[in-house]
C-alpha cells in the first residue's frame, strides 16, 4: 500500500482509509501472462483530482501511475452549446466509435490493456499484444494510447456496424499517463501515421458556429448507423464534448429494453430526452418526425416483446457474442476476470483451429426472472 500512497502523494493512513472504504481495489489477477506487474490497484471512485479508473502499478521496473480516462460531457443541442463551450476555437469532429474504452500501456517488457474502471483485462491485453506494435512506447515512454476496442469479438459491446469480425483498436487520444494531458489532434494524427495505428476518423475541422457543416456530418453518420461525434478543440486545451445520432440513441434503447430488468430507468430516459432535443433542434418535416416516432416506439416495444416471447417459450435470455482467443491460458484467466467482476456468464467452445472461438453468453438474470414471474401471474410491485 505504501507505494500507492507515495505515487498519489497521499499519507499512508489516507491510502489505508481508501482501501477500507473499498475505493482502492485490486486491478489485476496475478498470473504469468502479466509478468511485469508485481501489484496493481485502481481507484473505483474519483478521488481528489484523480479520475476513477486511475491505476497505480508496482512493476518490475518501478512504480507507474495511469490516470483514468476523463468523463466527456454531452451536448444535447449543438447551438448554443458548442459556441458556449469552445468559443471561437477550431474544432475537430471526430467519429465517436461504439465499443469500449481501453488504455493501452507498456509496463516492463509488455503491453497491457486497462479498461475504463481500471482493470487490466486479459482478453483485451492479448488482443493489444497481437495488433499493436510497441515501438511507439520506446519513443514516448510516458504516454498511453487511449483507444476504442471495436468489433464483433467484444465481450462488453459487440457491434456489427464496422464490419470487424475480431476486435480492433481505434486510437482517439494520446495522453501523458501521469498528468492526463493530451497531445493535439494533429500530433496524434502524425503519430498514428508513422506508427501505423488505426484512428477514429476526423470528418471535419471547423468552427462552432458552422451549424450546417456539422449537421451534415451528423446526418451522414446517422445514415451509416454510426454512434456520433466527439467535438475536440484541435489543440486539446479545452475538454471535448460528445453528441450522438438518433440511430445510436435508438439502438441503445433497443438493447436496454431487451434486457429491461438489468437496465436502470435513467439509462432509458436519457436517450429519450436526447431524441426530443434533437427533433426540436433539427426542425424536422412532418414525415421525418413521424419516422422518428415510429423508430423510437419500435426500439422500446419490439425488443421487450421478443424477450417476453422467448421466455414464454421456455428459453433463457442471454446477451451473446463470439470471442476469439489465442490460448487456453488467456481464456481461463478471462473467466477468472469475469468472476471477479461479478458477471453471470456461460462459455461454450465453438471450434479450435489455431485460434479458439468461444460463444460467450451473459445471463440476464433479472430480466429472465421478472418476465417469468409476470407470465406466472406475479403482480408488478
Ligand atoms: P463518459 O464517462 O465519458 O461520459 P460513457 O461511459 O458514458 O463515458 P460514452 O457515452 O460512450 O461513454 O462516451 C465517452 C466514450 O466514448 C469515451 O470514454 C470513449 O471510450 C468513447 N469514444 C469513442 N470514440 C471516441 C473519440 N473519437 N474520442 C473520444 N472518445 C471516444
Ligand atoms: Mg461508448
Amino acid at each position: 500500500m505504501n507505494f500507492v500512497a507515495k505515487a498519489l502523494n497521499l499519507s499512508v493512513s489516507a491510502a489505508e482509509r481508501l482501501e477500507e472504504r473499498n475505493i482502492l481495489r485490486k486491478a489485476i489477477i496475478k498470473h504469468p501472462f502479466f509478468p511485469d506487474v508485481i501489484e496493481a490497484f485502481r481507484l473505483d471512485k474519483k478521488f481528489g483530482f484523480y479520475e476513477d479508473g486511475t491505476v497505480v502499478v508496482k512493476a518490475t521496473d518501478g512504480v507507474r501511475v495511469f490516470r483514468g480516462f476523463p468523463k466527456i460531457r454531452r451536448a444535447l443541442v449543438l447551438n448554443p452549446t458548442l459556441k458556449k463551450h469552445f468559443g471561437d476555437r477550431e474544432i475537430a469532429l471526430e467519429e465517436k466509435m461504439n465499443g469500449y474504452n481501453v488504455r493501452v500501456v507498456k509496463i516492463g517488457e509488455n503491453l497491457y490493456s486497462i479498461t475504463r474502471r481500471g482493470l487490466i483485462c486479459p482478453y483485451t491485453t492479448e488482443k493489444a499484444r497481437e495488433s499493436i506494435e510497441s515501438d511507439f512506447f520506446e519513443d514516448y515512454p510516458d504516454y498511453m494510447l487511449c483507444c476504442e476496442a471495436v468489433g464483433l469479438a467484444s465481450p462488453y459491446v459487440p457491434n456489427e456496424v464496422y464490419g470487424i469480425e475480431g476486435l480492433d483498436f481505434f486510437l482517439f487520444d494520446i495522453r501523458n499517463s501521469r498528468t492526463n494531458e493530451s497531445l493535439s489532434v494533429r500530433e496524434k494524427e502524425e503519430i498514428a501515421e508513422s506508427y501505423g495505428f488505426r484512428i477514429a476518423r476526423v470528418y471535419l475541422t471547423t468552427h462552432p458556429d458552422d451549424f450546417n457543416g456539422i449537421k451534415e456530418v451528423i446526418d451522414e453518420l446517422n445514415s451509416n448507423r454510426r454512434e456520433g461525434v466527439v467535438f475536440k478543440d484541435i489543440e486539446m486545451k479545452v475538454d471535448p464534448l460528445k453528441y450522438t445520432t438518433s440511430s445510436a440513441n435508438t439502438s441503445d434503447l433497443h438493447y436496454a429494453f431487451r434486457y429491461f430488468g438489468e437496465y436502470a430507468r435513467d439509462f432509458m430516459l436519457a436517450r429519450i430526452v436526447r431524441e426530443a432535443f434533437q427533433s426540436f433542434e433539427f426542425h424536422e418535416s412532418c414525415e421525418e418526425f413521424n419516422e422518428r416516432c415510429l423508430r423510437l416506439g419500435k426500439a422500446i416495444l419490439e425488443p421487450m416483446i421478443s424477450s417476453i416471447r422467448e421466455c414464454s417459450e421456455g428459453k433463457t435470455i442471454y446477451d451473446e457474442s463470439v470471442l476469439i482467443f489465442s490460448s487456453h491460458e488467456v481464456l481461463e484467466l478471462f473467466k477468472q476476470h469475469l468472476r471477479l467482476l461479478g458477471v453471470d456468464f456461460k462459455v461454450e467452445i465453438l471450434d479450435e483451429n489455431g485460434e479458439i472461438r468461444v460463444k460467450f453468453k451473459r445471463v440476464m438474470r433479472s430480466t429472465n426472472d421478472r418476465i417469468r414471474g409476470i407470465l406466472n401471474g406475479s403482480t408488478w410491485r
Side-chain angles (χ1 to χ4, degrees):
M1 195 50 56
N2 278 353
F3 77 94
V4 178
K6 211 162 149 205
L8 299 183
N9 277 326
L10 305 172
S11 64
V12 173
S13 67
E16 276 167 3
R17 248 177 298 138
L18 279 181
E19 203 181 16
E20 273 157 29
R21 286 162 54 202
N22 226 0
I23 295 176
L24 200 58
R25 302 194 189 186
K26 276 201 171 354
I28 198 166
I29 298 171
K30 263 190 115 41
H31 191 277
F33 189 61
F34 301 133
D36 316 271
V37 178
I38 300 164
E39 263 185 298
F41 289 91
R42 64 187 174 98
L43 286 180
D44 199 40
K45 275 211 179 82
K46 190 173 161 54
F47 183 75
F49 57 80
Y50 292 106
E51 302 79 7
D52 84 47
T54 295
V55 181
V56 186
V57 180
K58 188 200 260 180
T60 45
D61 60 348
V63 172
R64 305 279 303 278
V65 175
F66 300 103
R67 295 281 293 271
F69 188 80
K71 271 203 97 51
I72 302 178
R73 299 191 65 83
R74 175 182 299 276
L76 285 191
V77 286
L78 302 170
N79 181 22
T81 321
L82 295 178
K83 184 86 186 164
K84 191 171 165 203
H85 188 81
F86 293 107
D88 292 324
R89 304 179 76 93
E90 197 175 356
I91 52 173
L93 272 65
E94 231 176 70
E95 178 169 356
K96 183 175 193 303
M97 309 286 295
N98 192 1
Y100 61 98
N101 184 301
V102 177
R103 282 161 282 157
V104 177
V105 304
K106 187 167 184 214
I107 304 172
E109 297 303 312
N110 294 286
L111 297 189
Y112 288 80
S113 292
I114 308 174
T115 51
R116 191 72 194 272
R117 287 172 58 203
L119 281 134
I120 297 180
C121 169
Y123 180 69
T124 322
T125 294
E126 183 184 64
K127 296 287 153 297
R129 288 181 189 172
E130 287 164 2
S131 66
I132 294 178
E133 290 285 343
S134 73
D135 49 354
F136 162 80
F137 295 96
E138 314 301 329
D139 303 329
Y140 295 85
D142 300 329
Y143 285 78
M144 52 190 181
L145 298 171
C146 303
C147 305
E148 195 76 351
V150 166
L152 274 171
S154 163
Y156 311 114
V157 190
N159 198 329
E160 32 76 51
V161 298
Y162 305 100
I164 297 168
E165 279 276 316
L167 191 70
D168 274 358
F169 294 84
F170 287 82
L171 177 69
F172 53 74
D173 281 354
I174 301 177
R175 291 176 176 263
N176 182 295
S177 340
R178 181 123 219 1
T179 64
N180 228 345
E181 263 170 78
S182 194
L183 297 184
S184 72
V185 173
R186 292 281 163 268
E187 286 169 303
K188 173 187 66 181
E189 285 175 333
E190 281 160 21
I191 288 174
E193 172 79 37
S194 50
Y195 296 91
F197 301 137
R198 294 186 83 167
I199 199 168
R201 176 172 159 199
V202 174
Y203 274 74
L204 179 70
T205 45
T206 187
H207 286 92
D209 44 22
D210 176 20
F211 181 83
N212 292 335
I214 294 171
K215 177 158 184 302
E216 217 169 278
V217 171
I218 291 163
D219 287 341
E220 181 183 343
L221 288 164
N222 186 47
S223 20
N224 294 326
R225 297 192 298 139
R226 300 303 179 98
E227 192 185 13
V229 288
V230 180
F231 297 100
K232 292 182 178 172
D233 162 28
I234 60 161
E235 302 295 333
M236 288 297 280
K237 300 283 184 229
V238 176
D239 290 341
L241 284 184
K242 61 190 179 191
Y243 185 89
T244 41
T245 60
S246 179
S247 154
N249 299 336
T250 41
S251 90
D252 280 5
L253 284 169
H254 193 277
Y255 186 85
F257 277 102
R258 170 156 172 77
Y259 309 116
F260 68 90
E262 336 294 316
Y263 276 83
R265 288 164 195 216
D266 282 355
F267 183 95
M268 291 130 170
L269 180 64
R271 280 148 186 86
I272 297 170
V273 170
R274 289 176 204 168
E275 284 295 285
F277 279 96
Q278 186 177 79
S279 172
F280 165 77
E281 186 173 37
F282 285 6
H283 296 293
E284 293 172 315
S285 67
C286 191
E287 195 189 332
E288 285 167 329
F289 173 71
N290 284 333
E291 274 171 21
R292 188 189 292 274
C293 293
L294 187 62
R295 198 162 62 232
L296 185 60
K298 277 195 168 174
I300 294 172
L301 280 177
E302 252 175 15
M304 274 201 285
I305 294 167
S306 80
S307 291
I308 296 169
R309 184 166 304 120
E310 282 171 44
C311 274
S312 79
E313 290 163 356
K315 296 182 188 147
T316 303
I317 297 163
Y318 298 106
D319 185 20
E320 287 188 6
S321 56
V322 175
L323 308 183
I324 305 162
F325 289 85
S326 297
S327 73
H328 279 279
E329 185 195 23
V330 176
L331 171 56
E332 287 312 311
L333 183 58
F334 182 61
K335 289 199 231 165
Q336 274 186 52
H337 176 81
L338 292 172
R339 280 184 216 114
L340 190 78
L341 286 173
V343 178
D344 197 353
F345 68 97
K346 294 201 165 83
V347 298
E348 287 162 28
I349 295 189
L350 296 173
D351 54 65
E352 279 187 60
N353 208 333
E355 51 186 26
I356 310 155
R357 290 195 329 123
V358 165
K359 181 168 272 184
F360 170 60
K361 295 171 158 185
R362 197 183 282 253
V363 184
M364 297 301 192
R365 188 76 59 203
S366 127
T367 303
N368 281 290
D369 290 353
R370 274 214 173 172
I371 297 178
R372 260 193 215 115
I374 293 169
L375 292 179
N376 286 321
S378 295
T379 50
W380 181 275
R381 269 178 225 284

